[in-house]
Amino acid sequence: MDQPVIASTQYVAACPGCGAGAEWHGVQVLLAGAGSLRWDTECACPACGSSAAVCDDELPDGLREQLLAEHGRATLQVSPSARSAPVMQVLRASLGLDLTAAKAALHRIRLGEYTGTLPETELLARRLRASGVDAVARSPARAHEAWGMGHGA
């Protein structure tokens, strides 16, 4: 069974109770066996003492870039022998791309330039593997590895 994949960050945003600045802790999560990403965040306000938790599918504006800045960009890779059609089918279905955009994304993948958060790229890698495509999401620390050298995330 696949393991959960998590990227976390901390940020300051308004407390929903009193509006004061509060430190929030957020995680983008790909749960084991899940077919989608989650964004969960919570805070405890030091000004009023209230707590809040929010679970959603989408990262709030700006926090994706913050995750990428803090954790680096993971790279999606497919086997050099992977056929184009199945890869583009998964890209189109997963990302809502038209044919031209899917071809461009495939080109970026083949060049090693398709990046995202580790949970995002691992979700695509899992969907590609489920379609019979040998694919891997490489964490930023391992993105330089050549295909075939221990291609686990």
Side-chain angles (χ1 to χ4, degrees):
M1 176 176 269
D2 291 321
Q3 296 296 312
V5 179
I6 300 169
S8 63
T9 191
Q10 296 178 350
Y11 58 99
V12 175
C15 166
C18 70
E23 186 171 285
W24 289 76
H25 301 270
V27 293
Q28 184 184 43
V29 180
L30 173 58
L31 296 172
S36 63
L37 298 171
R38 287 179 48 131
W39 172 252
D40 297 336
T41 187
E42 62 182 24
C43 82
C45 181
C48 71
S50 69
S51 298
V54 179
C55 301
D56 200 354
D57 293 336
E58 298 295 323
L59 281 159
D61 291 340
L63 290 180
R64 182 176 185 272
E65 289 304 316
Q66 185 172 330
L67 282 173
L68 291 168
E70 290 178 17
H71 298 282
R73 294 178 173 273
T75 305
L76 178 63
Q77 298 175 331
V78 297
S79 169
S81 63
R83 293 188 1 216
S84 297
V87 175
M88 289 192 307
Q89 282 179 318
V90 170
L91 294 173
R92 291 184 74 188
S94 297
L95 304 174
L97 302 177
D98 64 21
L99 185 57
T100 302
K103 284 181 184 179
L106 174 61
H107 183 69
R108 289 180 38 226
I109 291 168
R110 296 230 190 256
L111 292 174
E113 298 174 354
Y114 189 94
T115 63
T117 66
L118 187 56
E120 291 167 348
T121 55
E122 179 60 28
L123 176 59
L124 284 174
R126 288 179 185 181
R127 288 178 177 173
L128 287 163
R129 289 191 299 267
S131 294
V133 176
D134 199 3
V136 64
R138 297 254 188 243
S139 66
R142 298 180 65 191
H144 68 281
E145 291 180 5
W147 185 263
M149 294 178 55
H151 55 272

